[in-house]
Amino acid sequence: MNQPSYHEEDLGNTPDALVEEYGLSPVLVREITRSLEDESGGPRIHDLLIALHPADLAELISLLNSEQRAMLIAGIRSEFDAEVLTHLDPEIRDEILSQLGTEKSAEVISELDTDDAVEVISDLSAEEQKEIIDAIEDQETREEVKEALSYPEHSAGRLMQTDMVSIEQGWNVGQTIDYLRTNSEHLPTDFYAVFVVDSAHRPIASVMLSRIMQNNRDVSIDAIMNTDLKPFAVEVDQEEVAYVFRKYALVEAPVIDAQGVLVGVITVDDVVHVIQEESEEDLLRLGGISQQDFHAGVFDTVKRRLPWLMINIITAFFASRIIGAFEGSIEKLVTLAVLMPIVASIGGNAGTQVLTVAVRAITMRELKSTNALALVRKEVLTGFTNGLCIAAITSSAIGLWYHDVKLAAVFGAALIINLIVAALAGSLIPLFFNRMKQDPAITSGIFLTMLTDTTGFFAFLGLATIFLV
Amino acid sequence: MNQPSYHEEDLGNTPDALVEEYGLSPVLVREITRSLEDESGGPRIHDLLIALHPADLAELISLLNSEQRAMLIAGIRSEFDAEVLTHLDPEIRDEILSQLGTEKSAEVISELDTDDAVEVISDLSAEEQKEIIDAIEDQETREEVKEALSYPEHSAGRLMQTDMVSIEQGWNVGQTIDYLRTNSEHLPTDFYAVFVVDSAHRPIASVMLSRIMQNNRDVSIDAIMNTDLKPFAVEVDQEEVAYVFRKYALVEAPVIDAQGVLVGVITVDDVVHVIQEESEEDLLRLGGISQQDFHAGVFDTVKRRLPWLMINIITAFFASRIIGAFEGSIEKLVTLAVLMPIVASIGGNAGTQVLTVAVRAITMRELKSTNALALVRKEVLTGFTNGLCIAAITSSAIGLWYHDVKLAAVFGAALIINLIVAALAGSLIPLFFNRMKQDPAITSGIFLTMLTDTTGFFAFLGLATIFLV
């Protein structure tokens, strides 16, 4: 087998192998896992691994456990493709960098574009970062990486690549093409646009390559360029960058320093990762996860999740004190204890719906001060309507089951009250945290459930104490 | 003011206006809203609106209420930019299309690329779609839109644009550039790559424009093309498309029919929207929202959210029956009613953490059959450890508060049991639904909280009944 391939045909055509058309087939994963445990499989597996796309190799590495990973890396160490690192999650990347050692890591990292190199080492400790950077042999690369690391984390300066294509004002299509042909070794491999700069190297326009290629050599770039640039300052947050790229459907944007000078470009493929990350952040934070821990070990996972659970337990104790205040009523009518969690639970669920929509709209910048009041009004009306519908059904059921109309009425009223509070809390809490410049995704959930639990218990037990016991 | 601009300088430089560097300033939004209510503001506002980027105009439209929207559309009807439609949410888009009427809608839609045209009308009823399509004047456009609509929703066929650039095998750089120059009116405005096709028009490779431009006219395309194509069949789901684009950092990919013939291309800007949509879907579904309803009215919002709440109320009643079974114990020791919601609540929160991580990992295709067991094992260990830590603290508190060691022990034991069940449920339920080809985000939450509530009540009240009362 001269041309190793990772297609399922080579590895037995089971139906399972056909499930994934792109990327790794489960059969290949199993084959490699087996070979790792079997000494004789060495050469065959080596060929298979080297033939994989870096993204597929990264995926395979993520699927293995630490020991398997170490064996695999040892096997391909000398031909290790730097691109693989850019496709890995931080936890696994750091593990591999320490296995490769400082010298080899530095060698591998210097093969990457500046933005990727910086991303790869950014999760390491300051000390480890310094060691690796000092071990980079090429001085220019070393300086570029240092420069990029000097920008704040998650900033445009970190996202940009410094290799870029800029031309002077007043050129024509022919001059531009000639420039690109004669300077090809100093240019990035792939790019989509060329930036036009003034005499101070400030970007004033961009031209898509497709426009350049569709015009004759004597056409002036001025005639085909786009002056509606969206330049980013180096310190702008990546969330802002992603928002602007998405909104205006950009593929490439210039990054400028404080003097307005072009210092780098951000391309859409970098932004795709950011968009993914930012959405993931909201999703995880609403679920009570401060940081993705899928690849973290038990100890790290506990360390990250426990604080959130501790806060939750405090709020749960707080809500339980409300119940404690009504112990006398529960003693007289134990049915109250049976029904009260329902009122609290439905409030929590309805509030989470509102919260999710509001947090999402804030992230997408659809929810602003101008339409905040309209949202709150709509949510309260929705909560009230949902409350009426649910109360109608559940109160009938309770009335029939317990033969107690007053109990049914108290339950229904408490439920409606809690759904209105849930609507208010679900919309106002994230708006408040956003106004306070806090991430609404991470903090709002705690306060929401505390409020809906407390209100649920208080409204139900309070009304019951007045009208029933 | 000949050159109307939307920058804050024109509208008074308040600090508020400086908050948003890109897009609409709050000052502009307020200015326009005021002008809409004031007859005399007409001409000024018209100039402002026409000067806006379509994405900004779309954002502005979304921030207005229905009446304001109708006034604004009436004012710019004759110059309405079709691009605006592609930036709007379905609800608002449909509202504007009905205001524009069939004739005008058809005229506007035929200005768009096929993929955008289809996206814009895809949410309309079949009847409305037919009306608008029949009203499109240009026959070729009409046929193209019909063709694209024949592909399944959310498929590669819907995402692709049919305008594309393909060249024959064996050409050189010079021939390619000449072809692009002479055919510029039949080509898409912006593209990043050219596809090389064989005699049957099947794609065999792609060449980035930047590669073409960096080489001399006599260089053969064969020498610089990339044969590692990831072609999509027309019926492939957009989720798959987004996954492959993200994984391999693609900017453009060919779409082929059943015979392998090139029928369209998908570009990264289309995929950015899909990535956004898919992440949003997970986020909303985990929050109990079946479909984004930020722009929906109260009635539609109730209609969409109520079913989920009804399911939740059923599971809440189910859990409350467990409590009902232990009424006798609660009557004897009412403290049980005070503490039981804490056990249930912490189980729900811990389970949601696990569920969020698992659902995310399934969506990102990081969690597969090969590493599922490792995840479950890790989560159970994490749950047990978290349970031990929380139980140690809370049981001590309860022991001190109630002067009852046995109560404290029962509470701690029930809490640990529930955290283990939460870990199992949070990881196994989404894996199960994924295996059953169901979306784990939408269904798993219901079953999770049912299990953690039930277990919380059962373990705590059951143990209490055995050891305390």
Side-chain angles (χ1 to χ4, degrees), chain B residues 306-363:
Chain B
L306 194 53
W308 171 264
L309 294 176
M310 290 307 295
I311 297 172
N312 269 302
I313 206 104
I314 294 168
T315 63
F317 267 98
F318 184 81
S320 105
R321 289 319 309 148
I322 303 285
I323 307 172
F326 292 99
E327 273 189 357
S329 305
I330 295 172
E331 254 168 354
K332 283 183 216 150
L333 187 62
V334 74
T335 305
L336 297 181
V338 176
L339 296 178
M340 67 183 185
I342 302 175
V343 182
S345 155
I346 201 77
N349 286 320
T352 304
Q353 289 182 330
V354 183
L355 182 67
T356 306
V357 170
V359 166
R360 183 67 189 164
I362 288 172
T363 311

Side-chain angles (χ1 to χ4, degrees), chain B residues 10 69-70 91 106 116 123 148 169 179 192 198 203 272 294 302 340 352 368 374 382 390 416 427 433:
Chain B
D10 302 319
R69 210 141 48 210
E91 266 100 6
D116 291 329
D123 293 295
Q169 236 177 321
Y179 169 77
Y192 322 113
D198 66 11
V272 165
F294 181 69
V302 168
M340 67 183 185
T352 304
K368 307 187 172 195
T382 303
I390 299 171
I416 293 171
S427 51
F433 280 114

Side-chain angles (χ1 to χ4, degrees), chain B residues 153-435:
Chain B
E153 228 186 321
H154 307 304
S155 68
R158 288 276 184 107
L159 270 187
M160 74 186 186
Q161 55 190 63
T162 47
D163 285 343
M164 62 196 150
V165 190
S166 58
I167 60 169
E168 281 166 42
Q169 236 177 321
W171 284 18
N172 64 24
V173 167
Q175 283 173 295
T176 308
I177 294 182
D178 292 343
Y179 169 77
L180 293 176
R181 283 190 185 145
T182 46
N183 287 278
S184 63
E185 64 271 35
H186 301 109
L187 301 176
T189 3
D190 292 336
F191 54 95
Y192 322 113
V194 168
F195 292 101
V196 183
V197 291
D198 66 11
S199 56
H201 210 257
R202 286 178 299 225
I204 52 170
S206 69
V207 209
M208 293 292 295
L209 294 187
S210 51
R211 302 275 164 111
I212 298 177
M213 294 193 74
Q214 289 178 61
N215 282 284
N216 288 321
R217 291 183 61 90
D218 55 0
V219 171
S220 158
I221 293 291
D222 277 18
I224 54 171
M225 69 189 190
N226 165 28
T227 54
D228 185 18
L229 278 187
K230 312 272 176 205
F232 295 100
V234 277
E235 72 276 5
V236 165
D237 192 86
Q238 63 174 16
E239 195 184 322
E240 185 77 15
V241 175
Y243 171 72
V244 175
F245 261 79
R246 189 168 41 76
K247 180 168 175 184
Y248 300 105
L250 305 180
V251 283
E252 203 156 359
V255 182
I256 52 175
D257 66 12
Q259 282 72 46
V261 171
L262 181 67
V263 290
V265 293
I266 298 177
T267 49
V268 66
D269 50 305
D270 302 315
V271 176
V272 165
H273 278 274
V274 175
I275 290 178
Q276 193 77 43
E277 266 174 51
E278 301 283 338
S279 318
E280 171 161 310
E281 228 175 66
D282 269 3
L283 176 83
L284 293 173
R285 287 181 175 178
L286 281 174
I289 301 284
S290 57
Q291 193 190 343
Q292 175 61 280
D293 57 19
F294 181 69
H295 294 291
V298 173
F299 181 72
D300 279 330
T301 309
V302 168
K303 220 170 65 183
R304 291 184 201 167
R305 292 197 197 161
L306 194 53
W308 171 264
L309 294 176
M310 290 307 295
I311 297 172
N312 269 302
I313 206 104
I314 294 168
T315 63
F317 267 98
F318 184 81
S320 105
R321 289 319 309 148
I322 303 285
I323 307 172
F326 292 99
E327 273 189 357
S329 305
I330 295 172
E331 254 168 354
K332 283 183 216 150
L333 187 62
V334 74
T335 305
L336 297 181
V338 176
L339 296 178
M340 67 183 185
I342 302 175
V343 182
S345 155
I346 201 77
N349 286 320
T352 304
Q353 289 182 330
V354 183
L355 182 67
T356 306
V357 170
V359 166
R360 183 67 189 164
I362 288 172
T363 311
M364 299 299 283
R365 311 209 189 175
E366 295 184 30
L367 179 53
K368 307 187 172 195
S369 49
T370 18
N371 57 355
L373 193 66
L375 176 79
V376 178
R377 202 186 294 132
K378 175 193 131 176
E379 289 299 346
V380 169
L381 269 173
T382 303
F384 177 69
T385 315
N386 277 333
L388 274 184
C389 299
I390 299 171
I393 297 168
T394 50
S395 294
S396 314
I398 289 170
L400 290 171
W401 183 271
Y402 291 100
H403 302 289
D404 186 339
V405 178
K406 273 163 78 185
L407 177 68
V410 161
F411 181 88
L415 196 148
I416 293 171
I417 291 171
N418 207 17
L419 286 203
I420 293 171
V421 169
L424 283 168
S427 51
L428 289 174
I429 293 173
L431 280 167
F432 172 78
F433 280 114
N434 187 48
R435 174 61 69 96

Side-chain angles (χ1 to χ4, degrees), chain A residues 20 22-23 29 53 55-56 59 63 87 89 177 180-181 184 188-192 208-217 228 230-232 240 243-244 246-248 251 268 272 275-276 279-280 282-283 286-289 293-296 301-302 305-306 308-310 312-313 316-317 320-321 323-324 327 330 334 337-338 340-342 346 349-350 353-354 356-357 360-361 364 366 368 371 375 378-379 382 385-386 389-390 393-394 402, chain B residues 6 20 22-23 53 55-56 59 63 87 89 177 180-181 184 188-192 208-217 228 231-232 240 243-244 246-248 251 268 272 275-276 279-280 282-283 286-289 293-296 301-302 305-306 308-310 312-313 316-317 320-321 323-324 327 330 334 337-338 340-342 346 349-350 353-354 356-357 360-361 364 366 368 370-371 375 378-379 382 385-386 389-390 393-394 402:
Chain A
E20 309 217 357
Y22 306 91
V29 176
H53 187 289
D56 288 320
E59 190 184 334
L63 286 170
H87 294 280
D89 272 328
I177 294 183
L180 293 176
R181 282 191 186 144
S184 63
T189 3
D190 292 336
F191 54 96
Y192 322 113
M208 293 292 295
L209 294 188
S210 52
R211 302 275 165 108
I212 298 177
M213 293 194 76
Q214 289 179 60
N215 282 285
N216 289 321
R217 291 183 60 91
D228 184 18
K230 310 273 176 205
F232 295 101
E240 185 77 14
Y243 170 72
V244 175
R246 190 167 40 76
K247 179 167 175 184
Y248 300 104
V251 283
V268 66
V272 164
I275 290 178
Q276 193 78 44
S279 320
E280 171 162 310
D282 268 4
L283 176 84
L286 280 173
I289 301 284
D293 57 18
F294 181 71
H295 294 291
T301 309
V302 169
R305 293 198 198 161
L306 194 53
W308 171 264
L309 293 176
M310 290 308 295
N312 269 300
I313 206 103
F317 265 98
S320 105
R321 288 322 307 148
I323 307 173
E327 273 189 358
I330 294 172
V334 75
V338 176
M340 66 181 186
I342 302 176
I346 200 76
N349 285 320
Q353 289 182 329
V354 183
T356 306
V357 171
R360 184 66 188 164
M364 300 298 283
E366 296 183 31
K368 307 188 172 194
N371 58 354
L375 176 78
K378 175 193 132 177
E379 288 299 346
T382 303
T385 316
N386 277 333
C389 298
I390 299 171
I393 296 169
T394 50
Y402 291 101
Chain B
Y6 60 93
E20 310 217 355
Y22 305 92
H53 186 288
D56 288 319
E59 188 183 334
L63 286 171
H87 294 281
D89 271 330
I177 294 182
L180 293 176
R181 283 190 185 145
S184 63
T189 3
D190 292 336
F191 54 95
Y192 322 113
M208 293 292 295
L209 294 187
S210 51
R211 302 275 164 111
I212 298 177
M213 294 193 74
Q214 289 178 61
N215 282 284
N216 288 321
R217 291 183 61 90
D228 185 18
F232 295 100
E240 185 77 15
Y243 171 72
V244 175
R246 189 168 41 76
K247 180 168 175 184
Y248 300 105
V251 283
V268 66
V272 165
I275 290 178
Q276 193 77 43
S279 318
E280 171 161 310
D282 269 3
L283 176 83
L286 281 174
I289 301 284
D293 57 19
F294 181 69
H295 294 291
T301 309
V302 168
R305 292 197 197 161
L306 194 53
W308 171 264
L309 294 176
M310 290 307 295
N312 269 302
I313 206 104
F317 267 98
S320 105
R321 289 319 309 148
I323 307 172
E327 273 189 357
I330 295 172
V334 74
V338 176
M340 67 183 185
I342 302 175
I346 201 77
N349 286 320
Q353 289 182 330
V354 183
T356 306
V357 170
R360 183 67 189 164
M364 299 299 283
E366 295 184 30
K368 307 187 172 195
T370 18
N371 57 355
L375 176 79
K378 175 193 131 176
E379 289 299 346
T382 303
T385 315
N386 277 333
C389 299
I390 299 171
I393 297 168
T394 50
Y402 291 100

Side-chain angles (χ1 to χ4, degrees), chain A residues 101-176:
Chain A
T102 308
E103 295 300 319
K104 183 70 186 170
S105 293
E107 185 194 319
V108 166
I109 284 169
S110 54
E111 286 165 28
L112 295 170
D113 286 340
T114 345
D115 56 335
D116 290 330
V118 166
E119 205 206 317
V120 163
I121 61 172
S122 61
D123 293 296
L124 298 172
S125 71
E127 202 182 327
E128 288 168 314
Q129 285 183 10
K130 197 180 169 305
E131 272 179 32
I132 289 184
I133 293 171
D134 288 344
I136 293 177
E137 284 188 9
D138 180 58
Q139 199 199 328
E140 201 188 323
T141 313
R142 198 164 58 229
E143 290 308 318
E144 274 173 8
V145 172
K146 270 189 195 166
E147 167 86 25
L149 265 176
S150 72
Y151 300 120
E153 228 185 322
H154 308 301
S155 68
R158 288 278 184 106
L159 269 188
M160 74 186 186
Q161 56 189 63
T162 47
D163 285 343
M164 62 197 152
V165 190
S166 57
I167 60 170
E168 281 166 43
Q169 237 176 320
W171 284 19
N172 64 23
V173 167
Q175 282 172 296
T176 309

Side-chain angles (χ1 to χ4, degrees), chain B residues 46-63:
Chain B
H46 177 269
D47 292 349
L48 276 175
L49 292 175
I50 297 301
L52 283 179
H53 186 288
D56 288 319
L57 185 50
E59 188 183 334
L60 175 68
I61 290 173
S62 306
L63 286 171

